[in-house]
Structure formats: structure tokens, C-alpha cells
Amino acid sequence: MNATPRRVEHQQTDKGSVPVYTTAVVEQPWSSYSREDHGTWAQLFERQQKILVGRAAREFIDNQRKFGMTPHAIPKFDELNRVLKSATGWELIGVEGLLPELTFFDHLANRRFPVTWWIRRPEQIDYISEPDLFHDLFGHVPLLLNPVFADYMQAYGCGGVKAHGIGGDALVNLTRLYWYTVEFGLIKQDDGLRIYGSGIVSSKGESIYCLESPAPNRIGFDLQRIMRTRYRIDTYQKTYFVIDSYEQLMDATRPDFTPLYAELVKLDSIPAGSVLPTDHVFHCGSGEGWAKSGDV
Ligand code: PHE
Ligand code: CO
């Protein structure tokens, strides 16, 4: 454990913005948060709480309440861990920024969820290009209290270690699954489509856009289809995938992916905004306002 954790952010170079990776596990330096940091948490927390009523998945809202997170101060990882460990055996660990893939997978495979210790600056309130404490805690942690989702996250970590051994193409396929479920997933509940993806719940604009805008596609979950679908990291998504339940996610991903990766190598990737004849379409996007540039 380090004495003073660093704040590791992307760097501007002559090639543009590049991500920087770090592997240290750190103690949350709670007393070093400034009034401004706590204020940023409060502002983001209150704003999202209001927006997410009737938009976020039931389990997300209920579990957030179980943690006792409030706008008053940045939560202490130790206190959240008391609730989390006894419920699903997961543990939050503090990190300084982005982790290399294999390190990230290894933590998940061991039920450790890495949380960036630092929070965004006031000028980044509406948009930040990398995960910070608000995204990680507010966005990811509530669903770790759900037993099925908790198992899915661990299985993903194990799958990641395996895909890493298989090679680059497998990792690309697997990362798309994470992107379109854990980060940007929607779920069909009794009263309509709801958000469970962390990248959405931690974003003011996208939590409204993903459900209410006519522009994006909303398509039923399909494992192989998702693993072929490209995505953009710097705009709202062109397509959201809808699960029926967390059990569906777990059941679909339980089989060994090795033969699937071998199959996928032979198939082309699918542009982020495409709708295929085989898709189960909840909503076919109008595409209005979409960036003309290609998907990653
Ligand atoms: N079953 C997958 C594999 O064999 C592992 C996995 C589980 C991946 C859940 C993602 C989500 O690789
Ligand atoms: Co995230």
C-alpha cells in the first residue's frame, strides 16, 4: 500500500489524448478530499437520483438505498465494504486510475471491484472521458449487491483472463459484451425499459437519451450479435441491447466461449448503428444527430 495515492489521468501528447495505466491498490485517502470534492459528489449524486426515478432498474435504486449512500459526503469504501462483503462477498479496492486489462480481469475474477479513489474536477461535471469515483461508485457498485449480477461480474473476470490467453480478437469480442451490458445495458421490466448500465446511470444526458430519444436502436440481447458490434467511446451509443433479466445474462454467458471466439473470427464486425433482419427490435432508431465518423 502506498502512502499517498496518485491521481492517474490520461495524458495529452502530440498524438492527442492517450490513456495511462496503473496497477497500484491504494487505501482510500478519505481525509484528503476537499470541500470541492464532496461538493462535486453531492451535485452529481442529487442530480442523478432525480433523473433515475422511473428510469433506472428497480434493483439499482433499491440497492443504492441499502448501501446508505447519501449526497452529504463521498462514501467511505470501508463502510460500503461491510454491506457488500456480507451480502455477495465482493470487496471494493481503491485504485489510482485505469488498470491494464489482465489486472482488471484478475480483480473481478476474485470478486474485487476496483474503484478510482479520486473524483472529477468541477469543469468535468457533465463529461469525463475516463472512469472516476462517481462513475465507479455510483454507477457500478449498487448492482454488486444483486447475487446474479455479482456472479456475472466474476464470470466476466474469469472469461477475461481466458480471452487474454487466447489473443487480441477474443478480447475485442469480450470487451464488446462488457460495453453493451455492464456499461450500457438496458433491462425490460414490468413497467417498461430501464437502465442498468453504469456508463448510463452515471451520465445525466445519456440516462435520458437512451430511453427517450428516437435516435438510437433498442434491440433484444443476443450474445453473438453483441460480440460483433462495434462501439464508440466518445458519443452516446447508437444501439442499446435489452436483457429480460440478469439470469438471462448469466445463462447466455455460462458456456465456454472458446468455440464462439473461433466462429467470430470468420464473421465481419457490425457497425454500431446497424439493424439486422434477425434482430429483435424494440425500437428502430431514427439515427438523427449521429456522428458521421466511423465506430472504433
Ligand atoms: N463463459 C465465458 C467464457 O468461457 C466466460 C464469461 C462469463 C464471459 C460471463 C463473460 C461473461 O469465456
Ligand atoms: Co465503468
Side-chain angles (χ1 to χ4, degrees):
M1 295 259 172
N2 269 346
T4 329
R6 298 169 308 155
R7 179 183 177 118
V8 176
E9 296 171 81
H10 68 274
Q11 271 181 356
Q12 289 304 331
T13 69
D14 50 3
K15 297 191 192 74
S17 165
V18 295
V20 183
Y21 297 93
T22 164
T23 59
V25 171
V26 300
E27 201 82 55
Q28 182 188 25
W30 197 84
S31 50
S32 78
Y33 293 130
S34 63
R35 285 183 64 119
E36 189 176 82
D37 290 334
H38 289 294
T40 300
W41 168 266
Q43 196 184 335
L44 287 165
F45 188 95
E46 281 179 331
R47 192 168 80 178
Q48 284 311 100
Q49 283 270 78
K50 287 194 200 106
I51 291 176
L52 292 177
V53 175
R55 292 196 175 93
R58 202 183 313 120
E59 300 74 25
F60 179 89
I61 306 224
D62 291 351
N63 291 346
Q64 193 180 56
R65 194 174 313 118
K66 287 184 197 148
F67 272 115
M69 290 190 196
T70 72
H72 305 301
I74 293 175
K76 293 183 172 165
F77 297 175
D78 285 350
E79 290 178 8
L80 301 175
N81 271 335
R82 278 202 280 276
V83 179
L84 189 56
K85 276 186 195 163
S86 65
T88 57
W90 274 80
E91 177 191 8
L92 309 180
I93 53 167
V95 294
E96 299 179 316
L98 284 180
L99 301 176
E101 263 166 341
L102 192 54
T103 310
F104 180 63
F105 293 143
D106 180 64
H107 285 311
L108 296 186
N110 290 285
R111 289 191 175 256
R112 294 186 297 263
F113 192 80
V115 175
T116 307
W117 73 265
W118 52 265
I119 195 160
R120 67 193 71 183
R121 304 175 210 283
E123 64 272 21
Q124 298 168 307
I125 282 276
D126 290 323
Y127 181 78
I128 178 165
S129 63
E130 60 205 323
D132 73 330
L133 180 138
F134 183 73
H135 168 78
D136 289 340
L137 265 195
F138 185 96
H140 284 280
V141 172
L143 278 187
L144 292 177
L145 272 191
N146 178 278
V148 179
F149 195 83
D151 287 349
Y152 175 68
M153 289 294 284
Q154 179 177 24
Y156 177 81
C158 298
V161 173
K162 190 164 76 184
H164 195 270
I166 296 175
D169 291 335
L171 271 183
V172 169
N173 295 146
L174 189 68
T175 305
R176 289 181 183 141
L177 174 64
Y178 189 85
W179 189 263
Y180 282 118
T181 60
V182 177
E183 292 292 351
F184 291 95
L186 298 180
I187 184 167
K188 184 167 149 299
Q189 299 199 313
D190 302 337
D191 37 8
L193 299 190
R194 293 288 184 272
I195 307 161
Y196 73 92
S198 323
I200 312 177
V201 292
S202 61
S203 158
K204 175 189 172 209
E206 195 152 6
S207 41
I208 298 170
Y209 175 89
C210 71
L211 295 172
E212 276 136 78
S213 168
N217 305 312
R218 299 179 190 92
I219 293 173
F221 176 88
D222 173 339
L223 180 65
Q224 172 164 328
R225 175 7 169 152
I226 288 179
M227 290 177 110
R228 294 174 59 197
T229 308
R230 304 200 292 261
Y231 60 85
R232 293 273 306 228
I233 61 167
D234 58 348
T235 61
Y236 294 159
Q237 301 306 303
K238 294 178 176 175
T239 299
Y240 299 93
F241 291 93
V242 181
I243 59 172
D244 297 325
S245 64
Y246 306 110
E247 284 78 7
Q248 179 193 23
L249 205 51
M250 195 65 247
D251 291 344
T253 53
R254 211 183 305 273
D256 181 5
F257 284 2
T258 311
L260 181 54
Y261 293 137
E263 228 18 69
L264 289 168
V265 175
K266 303 180 213 153
L267 301 173
D268 288 331
S269 66
I270 303 168
S274 295
V275 176
L276 309 181
T278 44
D279 286 337
H280 170 61
V281 180
F282 287 89
H283 172 83
C284 183
S286 67
E288 67 192 55
W290 279 357
K292 294 282 180 290
S293 46
D295 319 314
V296 177

